[in-house]
Amino acid sequence: MNELCLPPELSGEIAAIYQSMASAYDQTAEKISLSCTGCSDNCCDSYFLHHTYSEWAYLWEGLKDLPKEQLDRVIQRAQDYISQSRLVLARSERPQLMCPLNEGGLCSLYSHRLMICRTHGVPATLTSPDGRHHRFPGCFRCQEIVNKTYARPTDAPAMERTALFQRLVRLEMRLLGELQARVPRVRLTIAEMIVNGPPRVTINQN
């Protein structure tokens, strides 16, 4: 099993995609006057699954730069997260547990946080490959603002995710190349990505 690392050009490209996400998020948040300041909630306890090897590899680029003591703490919290989430999922409930990267209320790997972490909060739209159009209402604070400000939720500005997701899909295809059809699909929490270590794939040397 070989570690799947991002070549420098793809690492730079995913950083650029993330920056575009941040800009689109900030523009939408400004239009609806959404701010995280003073919020009683913390989005880092939301249960998300992530689906790309490229983001998994990029996450580990950041983890490898952490001091050993801090990385050990993160891994221990990730192991605890997995154990607790399995108990909750066994009850057919959705876990609401703090992300193992959260320290003191803030992300300890902010520059390497994943796509869903960067887009969650504001209203958003997405057109899936089958042509279906989806609209996401945003976090609870966002929904409160929208309900007070707009006659209908769909009247509120929304972040368009489609082009950003397409860029990430194309990057994933470039990373995997001919391996794409042979590797298992990713469906992991951040905690599982941490505990599993960097992504690894079987590469035929023949």
Side-chain angles (χ1 to χ4, degrees), residues 85-109:
S85 64
R86 285 174 178 169
L87 293 175
V88 177
L89 290 168
R91 301 196 299 266
S92 299
E93 298 174 6
R94 189 177 183 85
Q96 189 173 7
L97 304 167
M98 189 58 65
C99 175
L101 291 174
N102 188 286
E103 292 189 354
L106 299 174
C107 180
S108 59
L109 213 64

mmCIF file of all heavy atoms in Angstrom, residues 85-109:
data_model
loop_
_atom_site.group_PDB
_atom_site.id
_atom_site.type_symbol
_atom_site.label_atom_id
_atom_site.label_comp_id
_atom_site.label_asym_id
_atom_site.label_seq_id
_atom_site.Cartn_x
_atom_site.Cartn_y
_atom_site.Cartn_z
ATOM 1 N N SER A 85 -19.238 8.096 18.506
ATOM 2 C CA SER A 85 -20.174 8.213 17.387
ATOM 3 C C SER A 85 -20.781 6.860 17.030
ATOM 4 O O SER A 85 -21.950 6.778 16.641
ATOM 5 C CB SER A 85 -19.476 8.822 16.173
ATOM 6 O OG SER A 85 -18.442 7.992 15.691
ATOM 7 N N ARG A 86 -20.014 5.789 17.169
ATOM 8 C CA ARG A 86 -20.556 4.461 16.876
ATOM 9 C C ARG A 86 -21.689 4.107 17.826
ATOM 10 O O ARG A 86 -22.681 3.493 17.423
ATOM 11 C CB ARG A 86 -19.436 3.420 16.944
ATOM 12 C CG ARG A 86 -18.498 3.449 15.731
ATOM 13 C CD ARG A 86 -17.323 2.518 15.900
ATOM 14 N NE ARG A 86 -16.466 2.517 14.710
ATOM 15 C CZ ARG A 86 -15.261 1.968 14.655
ATOM 16 N NH1 ARG A 86 -14.763 1.345 15.727
ATOM 17 N NH2 ARG A 86 -14.546 2.030 13.546
ATOM 18 N N LEU A 87 -21.562 4.489 19.085
ATOM 19 C CA LEU A 87 -22.626 4.235 20.051
ATOM 20 C C LEU A 87 -23.891 4.997 19.677
ATOM 21 O O LEU A 87 -25.008 4.473 19.772
ATOM 22 C CB LEU A 87 -22.162 4.641 21.456
ATOM 23 C CG LEU A 87 -21.026 3.811 22.065
ATOM 24 C CD1 LEU A 87 -20.590 4.415 23.402
ATOM 25 C CD2 LEU A 87 -21.463 2.358 22.265
ATOM 26 N N VAL A 88 -23.713 6.249 19.246
ATOM 27 C CA VAL A 88 -24.868 7.069 18.869
ATOM 28 C C VAL A 88 -25.512 6.533 17.596
ATOM 29 O O VAL A 88 -26.743 6.416 17.498
ATOM 30 C CB VAL A 88 -24.436 8.541 18.687
ATOM 31 C CG1 VAL A 88 -25.621 9.391 18.224
ATOM 32 C CG2 VAL A 88 -23.871 9.098 19.988
ATOM 33 N N LEU A 89 -24.685 6.194 16.612
ATOM 34 C CA LEU A 89 -25.214 5.673 15.353
ATOM 35 C C LEU A 89 -25.944 4.348 15.557
ATOM 36 O O LEU A 89 -26.926 4.054 14.856
ATOM 37 C CB LEU A 89 -24.073 5.487 14.346
ATOM 38 C CG LEU A 89 -23.452 6.776 13.804
ATOM 39 C CD1 LEU A 89 -22.156 6.456 13.065
ATOM 40 C CD2 LEU A 89 -24.431 7.501 12.883
ATOM 41 N N ALA A 90 -25.498 3.537 16.524
ATOM 42 C CA ALA A 90 -26.151 2.265 16.824
ATOM 43 C C ALA A 90 -27.574 2.477 17.334
ATOM 44 O O ALA A 90 -28.408 1.575 17.240
ATOM 45 C CB ALA A 90 -25.334 1.479 17.843
ATOM 46 N N ARG A 91 -27.844 3.672 17.861
ATOM 47 C CA ARG A 91 -29.191 4.014 18.320
ATOM 48 C C ARG A 91 -30.000 4.683 17.208
ATOM 49 O O ARG A 91 -31.082 5.223 17.473
ATOM 50 C CB ARG A 91 -29.118 4.948 19.531
ATOM 51 C CG ARG A 91 -28.367 4.392 20.725
ATOM 52 C CD ARG A 91 -28.667 5.197 21.983
ATOM 53 N NE ARG A 91 -28.258 6.587 21.866
ATOM 54 C CZ ARG A 91 -27.079 7.070 22.288
ATOM 55 N NH1 ARG A 91 -26.191 6.240 22.848
ATOM 56 N NH2 ARG A 91 -26.785 8.345 22.157
ATOM 57 N N SER A 92 -29.456 4.670 15.991
ATOM 58 C CA SER A 92 -30.100 5.303 14.826
ATOM 59 C C SER A 92 -30.270 6.801 15.042
ATOM 60 O O SER A 92 -31.246 7.410 14.575
ATOM 61 C CB SER A 92 -31.457 4.648 14.526
ATOM 62 O OG SER A 92 -31.269 3.273 14.217
ATOM 63 N N GLU A 93 -29.314 7.397 15.733
ATOM 64 C CA GLU A 93 -29.307 8.837 15.957
ATOM 65 C C GLU A 93 -28.103 9.453 15.255
ATOM 66 O O GLU A 93 -27.134 8.759 14.925
ATOM 67 C CB GLU A 93 -29.245 9.143 17.459
ATOM 68 C CG GLU A 93 -30.446 8.614 18.238
ATOM 69 C CD GLU A 93 -30.281 8.802 19.737
ATOM 70 O OE1 GLU A 93 -29.294 9.451 20.153
ATOM 71 O OE2 GLU A 93 -31.127 8.287 20.491
ATOM 72 N N ARG A 94 -28.175 10.748 15.007
ATOM 73 C CA ARG A 94 -27.075 11.463 14.358
ATOM 74 C C ARG A 94 -26.150 12.024 15.438
ATOM 75 O O ARG A 94 -26.593 12.769 16.307
ATOM 76 C CB ARG A 94 -27.609 12.601 13.493
ATOM 77 C CG ARG A 94 -26.551 13.267 12.610
ATOM 78 C CD ARG A 94 -27.184 14.337 11.744
ATOM 79 N NE ARG A 94 -26.226 14.945 10.831
ATOM 80 C CZ ARG A 94 -25.896 14.470 9.645
ATOM 81 N NH1 ARG A 94 -26.472 13.356 9.229
ATOM 82 N NH2 ARG A 94 -25.020 15.074 8.871
ATOM 83 N N PRO A 95 -24.870 11.670 15.396
ATOM 84 C CA PRO A 95 -23.946 12.170 16.429
ATOM 85 C C PRO A 95 -23.833 13.692 16.402
ATOM 86 O O PRO A 95 -23.905 14.316 15.339
ATOM 87 C CB PRO A 95 -22.609 11.527 16.037
ATOM 88 C CG PRO A 95 -22.978 10.336 15.220
ATOM 89 C CD PRO A 95 -24.208 10.737 14.470
ATOM 90 N N GLN A 96 -23.681 14.258 17.579
ATOM 91 C CA GLN A 96 -23.387 15.687 17.716
ATOM 92 C C GLN A 96 -22.211 15.801 18.687
ATOM 93 O O GLN A 96 -22.379 16.078 19.873
ATOM 94 C CB GLN A 96 -24.594 16.468 18.212
ATOM 95 C CG GLN A 96 -24.390 17.979 18.144
ATOM 96 C CD GLN A 96 -25.658 18.752 18.473
ATOM 97 O OE1 GLN A 96 -26.674 18.178 18.889
ATOM 98 N NE2 GLN A 96 -25.609 20.054 18.295
ATOM 99 N N LEU A 97 -21.025 15.562 18.149
ATOM 100 C CA LEU A 97 -19.802 15.498 18.946
ATOM 101 C C LEU A 97 -18.790 16.502 18.398
ATOM 102 O O LEU A 97 -18.731 16.738 17.193
ATOM 103 C CB LEU A 97 -19.203 14.082 18.880
ATOM 104 C CG LEU A 97 -20.119 12.938 19.310
ATOM 105 C CD1 LEU A 97 -19.522 11.599 18.885
ATOM 106 C CD2 LEU A 97 -20.340 12.976 20.810
ATOM 107 N N MET A 98 -17.983 17.057 19.282
ATOM 108 C CA MET A 98 -17.009 18.047 18.857
ATOM 109 C C MET A 98 -15.914 17.421 17.996
ATOM 110 O O MET A 98 -15.377 16.370 18.326
ATOM 111 C CB MET A 98 -16.387 18.730 20.069
ATOM 112 C CG MET A 98 -15.518 19.932 19.720
ATOM 113 S SD MET A 98 -16.411 21.215 18.787
ATOM 114 C CE MET A 98 -17.617 21.746 20.003
ATOM 115 N N CYS A 99 -15.603 18.061 16.888
ATOM 116 C CA CYS A 99 -14.558 17.591 15.982
ATOM 117 C C CYS A 99 -13.230 17.478 16.732
ATOM 118 O O CYS A 99 -12.891 18.359 17.540
ATOM 119 C CB CYS A 99 -14.414 18.569 14.815
ATOM 120 S SG CYS A 99 -13.051 18.191 13.694
ATOM 121 N N PRO A 100 -12.459 16.432 16.489
ATOM 122 C CA PRO A 100 -11.187 16.267 17.197
ATOM 123 C C PRO A 100 -10.163 17.345 16.876
ATOM 124 O O PRO A 100 -9.181 17.504 17.608
ATOM 125 C CB PRO A 100 -10.691 14.889 16.725
ATOM 126 C CG PRO A 100 -11.433 14.610 15.471
ATOM 127 C CD PRO A 100 -12.754 15.278 15.620
ATOM 128 N N LEU A 101 -10.380 18.114 15.818
ATOM 129 C CA LEU A 101 -9.462 19.204 15.493
ATOM 130 C C LEU A 101 -9.779 20.479 16.260
ATOM 131 O O LEU A 101 -9.001 21.430 16.226
ATOM 132 C CB LEU A 101 -9.496 19.496 13.983
ATOM 133 C CG LEU A 101 -8.905 18.414 13.074
ATOM 134 C CD1 LEU A 101 -9.149 18.775 11.616
ATOM 135 C CD2 LEU A 101 -7.421 18.240 13.343
ATOM 136 N N ASN A 102 -10.918 20.493 16.945
ATOM 137 C CA ASN A 102 -11.318 21.690 17.676
ATOM 138 C C ASN A 102 -10.565 21.784 18.994
ATOM 139 O O ASN A 102 -10.557 20.845 19.789
ATOM 140 C CB ASN A 102 -12.825 21.676 17.927
ATOM 141 C CG ASN A 102 -13.329 22.985 18.504
ATOM 142 O OD1 ASN A 102 -13.119 23.285 19.665
ATOM 143 N ND2 ASN A 102 -14.012 23.755 17.669
ATOM 144 N N GLU A 103 -9.938 22.919 19.216
ATOM 145 C CA GLU A 103 -9.246 23.171 20.477
ATOM 146 C C GLU A 103 -9.655 24.549 20.985
ATOM 147 O O GLU A 103 -9.441 25.552 20.303
ATOM 148 C CB GLU A 103 -7.727 23.109 20.305
ATOM 149 C CG GLU A 103 -7.217 21.705 20.002
ATOM 150 C CD GLU A 103 -5.693 21.610 20.054
ATOM 151 O OE1 GLU A 103 -5.037 22.658 20.202
ATOM 152 O OE2 GLU A 103 -5.171 20.486 19.946
ATOM 153 N N GLY A 104 -10.275 24.574 22.146
ATOM 154 C CA GLY A 104 -10.701 25.844 22.721
ATOM 155 C C GLY A 104 -11.748 26.558 21.895
ATOM 156 O O GLY A 104 -11.811 27.796 21.907
ATOM 157 N N GLY A 105 -12.552 25.793 21.161
ATOM 158 C CA GLY A 105 -13.612 26.403 20.364
ATOM 159 C C GLY A 105 -13.209 26.768 18.952
ATOM 160 O O GLY A 105 -14.040 27.238 18.174
ATOM 161 N N LEU A 106 -11.946 26.568 18.606
ATOM 162 C CA LEU A 106 -11.458 26.939 17.279
ATOM 163 C C LEU A 106 -10.786 25.754 16.599
ATOM 164 O O LEU A 106 -10.254 24.864 17.266
ATOM 165 C CB LEU A 106 -10.459 28.100 17.377
ATOM 166 C CG LEU A 106 -10.987 29.406 17.979
ATOM 167 C CD1 LEU A 106 -9.847 30.394 18.143
ATOM 168 C CD2 LEU A 106 -12.093 30.001 17.107
ATOM 169 N N CYS A 107 -10.788 25.768 15.262
ATOM 170 C CA CYS A 107 -10.138 24.706 14.497
ATOM 171 C C CYS A 107 -8.631 24.847 14.597
ATOM 172 O O CYS A 107 -8.076 25.909 14.294
ATOM 173 C CB CYS A 107 -10.584 24.759 13.039
ATOM 174 S SG CYS A 107 -9.826 23.467 12.009
ATOM 175 N N SER A 108 -7.957 23.783 15.003
ATOM 176 C CA SER A 108 -6.499 23.822 15.137
ATOM 177 C C SER A 108 -5.801 23.587 13.806
ATOM 178 O O SER A 108 -4.569 23.649 13.728
ATOM 179 C CB SER A 108 -6.042 22.762 16.147
ATOM 180 O OG SER A 108 -6.438 21.460 15.730
ATOM 181 N N LEU A 109 -6.563 23.313 12.757
ATOM 182 C CA LEU A 109 -5.994 23.082 11.432
ATOM 183 C C LEU A 109 -6.792 23.902 10.413
ATOM 184 O O LEU A 109 -7.158 23.416 9.347
ATOM 185 C CB LEU A 109 -6.054 21.589 11.089
ATOM 186 C CG LEU A 109 -4.925 21.020 10.220
ATOM 187 C CD1 LEU A 109 -3.587 21.121 10.950
ATOM 188 C CD2 LEU A 109 -5.198 19.574 9.857
#
